[in-house]
């Protein structure tokens, strides 16, 4: 079987596939059109987020048996059309769930203790102790929306704190010893912290808007390590300004492009006038913490993501041999 690799990944991915007898080709620079012209030669391809896999691309991949996406989500792939054409889809949320759990916790603790603000002030010669008095996580209620690999990983990290953890998910019976599954209404009534762990779907795009935010009984803190399009940024900013949202840790933004490596370049290099007003507010706000879609982007997760893809390809081939 021939596999085309479209994004660079940990070296073990190609090395182990070579050892298993696969033929591996690499093309990390050609345009989508050039790739489409030769994709019919391959039984599978491996991608991160280089470009979208639409119907036209899948129609050109006449011998395609599987797609491996080195990451958690599959929103850049027309999954329904791929599956209609017998293409097996492989993702690797197991590979970076621990990293996402740790990053979510780091953002929350940093916000509660004003670490970003305090660090800047000390470097500038300011010693403002009272102004940087923090909050303790113990005693708070943390609400998670989405309780799959990422939500469960974050809930596991919270076990060391004296907190109540609630989860809401469209799937039934996903709660466990680390989080009690509740209705969305109950979560919005009780939560002091909201953390998003949802994929990008029609249900989650623009989910956190003004109406959603105002359904919360108490002012709350927001952590988003999921997908940027889940939060309407202008509504988030209004809630930050009113105090309905006390602070936000955002690893993802609605402005970011499909590929991690090209986040918001035009706005970073252009004048502030060209930036969306909501983003201008976020980058200046002391109670907002930003990172460039790296919650699942650790040294360890790079290896674990690659290993997960290899293992799932092995399982796919084994099952097809025995069926």
């Amino acid at each position: 079987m021939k596999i085309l690799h479209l994004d660079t990944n940990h070296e073990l991915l190609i090395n182990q596939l070579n050892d298993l007898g696969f033929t591996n080709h690499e093309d990390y620079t050609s345009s989508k059109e050039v790739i489409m012209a030769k994709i019919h030669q391959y039984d599978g391809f491996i991608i991160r987020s280089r470009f979208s896999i639409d119907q036209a691309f899948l129609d050109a991949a006449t011998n395609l048996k599987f797609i491996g996406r080195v990451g958690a989500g599959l929103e850049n792939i027309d999954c329904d059309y791929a599956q209609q054409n017998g293409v097996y889809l492989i993702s690797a949320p197991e590979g970076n769930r621990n990293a996402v759990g740790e990053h979510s916790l780091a953002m929350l603790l940093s916000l509660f203790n004003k670490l970003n603000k305090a660090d800047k002030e000390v470097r500038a010669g300011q010693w403002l102790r009272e102004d940087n008095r923090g909050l303790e996580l113990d005693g708070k209620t943390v609400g998670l929306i989405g309780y799959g690999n990422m939500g469960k990983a974050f809930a596991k990290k919270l076990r060391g704190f004296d907190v109540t953890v609630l989860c809401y998910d469209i799937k039934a019976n996903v709660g466990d010893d680390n989080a009690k599954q509740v209705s969305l209404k109950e979560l919005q009534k009780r939560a002091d912290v909201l953390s998003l762990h949802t994929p990008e779907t029609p249900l989650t795009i623009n989910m956190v808007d003004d109406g959603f935010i105002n359904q919360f009984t108490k002012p709350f803190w927001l952590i988003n390590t999921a997908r940027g399009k889940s939060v309407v940024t202008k509504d988030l900013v209004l809630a930050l300004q009113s105090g309905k949202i006390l602070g936000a840790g955002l690893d993802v933004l609605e402005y970011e492009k499909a590929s991690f490596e090209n986040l918001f370049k035009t706005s970073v290099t252009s004048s502030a006038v060209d930036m969306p007003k909501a983003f201008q507010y976020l980058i200046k706000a002391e109670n907002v913490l930003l990172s460039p879609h790296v919650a699942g982007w650790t040294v360890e997760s790079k290896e674990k993501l690659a290993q997960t893809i290899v293992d799932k390809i092995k399982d796919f081939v084994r099952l097809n041999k025995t069926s």
Side-chain angles (χ1 to χ4, degrees), residues 67-84:
I67 301 170
R69 201 252 154 171
V70 187
L74 293 168
E75 63 267 19
N76 287 332
I77 300 171
D78 189 331
C79 296
D80 290 339
Y81 193 70
Q83 290 171 332
Q84 288 171 21

Side-chain angles (χ1 to χ4, degrees), residues 8-308:
T8 57
N9 289 291
H10 194 282
E11 61 185 14
L12 76 79
L13 182 55
I14 290 180
N15 289 343
Q16 290 192 23
L17 291 173
N18 279 332
D19 292 342
L20 291 168
F22 292 93
T23 299
N24 292 278
H25 293 170
E26 301 164 71
D27 189 336
Y28 306 137
T29 58
S30 294
S31 67
K32 183 177 180 179
E33 291 69 28
V34 170
I35 299 296
M36 285 177 65
K38 64 180 180 180
I39 195 62
H40 66 278
Q41 303 172 32
Y42 294 94
D43 300 284
F45 65 86
I46 309 295
I47 194 167
R48 287 204 320 266
S49 303
R50 183 169 158 194
F51 49 69
S52 63
I53 307 302
D54 52 21
Q55 290 190 16
F57 190 95
L58 292 165
D59 285 340
T62 52
N63 290 310
L64 191 64
K65 298 175 180 63
F66 69 86
I67 301 170
R69 201 252 154 171
V70 187
L74 293 168
E75 63 267 19
N76 287 332
I77 300 171
D78 189 331
C79 296
D80 290 339
Y81 193 70
Q83 290 171 332
Q84 288 171 21
N85 285 273
V87 177
Y88 186 67
L89 302 176
I90 299 170
S91 62
E94 303 89 346
N96 62 356
R97 60 189 175 190
N98 183 72
V100 170
E102 291 190 3
H103 196 97
S104 301
L105 180 59
M107 281 192 139
L108 182 55
L109 292 176
S110 182
L111 285 169
F112 269 34
N113 292 283
K114 303 182 181 180
L115 295 182
N116 197 41
K117 173 180 176 294
D119 176 78
K120 290 178 180 177
E121 290 172 353
V122 172
R123 292 173 189 273
Q126 297 175 289
W127 196 257
L128 306 176
R129 296 184 67 208
E130 187 59 39
D131 197 45
N132 287 296
R133 189 182 289 274
L135 294 172
E136 296 180 16
L137 184 53
D138 277 16
K140 305 297 190 294
T141 297
V142 180
L144 312 178
I145 295 185
Y147 203 60
N149 281 282
M150 308 305 165
K152 289 179 185 294
F154 185 34
K156 184 178 178 181
K157 301 303 173 191
L158 291 168
R159 287 193 306 195
F161 297 88
D162 184 14
V163 295
T164 299
V165 182
L166 308 176
C167 67
Y168 169 74
D169 197 286
I170 59 173
K171 294 181 180 179
N173 302 315
V174 297
D176 56 23
D177 290 342
N178 297 328
K180 178 184 177 184
Q181 187 168 7
V182 297
S183 67
L184 179 58
K185 184 177 181 180
E186 182 175 351
L187 186 147
Q188 290 173 317
K189 180 180 180 180
R190 297 175 58 187
D192 300 295
V193 176
L194 170 65
S195 187
L196 303 181
H197 300 279
T198 48
E200 185 176 304
T201 71
L203 287 175
T204 63
I205 292 175
N206 296 331
M207 175 178 66
V208 181
D209 60 7
D210 183 66
F212 178 94
I213 292 167
N214 286 314
Q215 290 299 311
F216 280 75
T217 301
K218 298 182 282 187
F220 65 96
W221 300 80
L222 174 67
I223 304 294
N224 187 11
T225 55
R227 290 293 182 261
K229 291 181 181 178
S230 294
V231 177
V232 179
T233 311
K234 63 180 181 61
D235 291 351
L236 165 62
V237 167
L238 289 173
L240 287 165
Q241 291 171 330
S242 71
K244 184 65 179 183
I245 293 181
L246 300 168
L250 307 174
D251 182 53
V252 288
L253 297 166
E254 69 170 293
Y255 312 113
E256 70 182 83
K257 297 180 181 179
S259 185
F260 299 171
E261 292 84 351
N262 296 311
L263 302 187
F264 211 52
K265 282 185 177 178
T266 53
S267 291
V268 172
T269 56
S270 300
S271 66
V273 175
D274 296 325
M275 289 187 187
K277 288 184 179 180
F279 189 67
Q280 292 182 48
Y281 180 89
L282 292 181
I283 61 177
K284 295 175 183 177
E286 292 182 337
N287 60 340
V288 174
L289 192 61
L290 302 169
S291 58
H293 204 148
V294 291
W297 207 248
T298 63
V299 171
E300 293 84 358
S301 72
K302 183 177 182 180
E303 180 174 350
K304 287 188 282 188
L305 284 165
Q307 188 64 61
T308 300

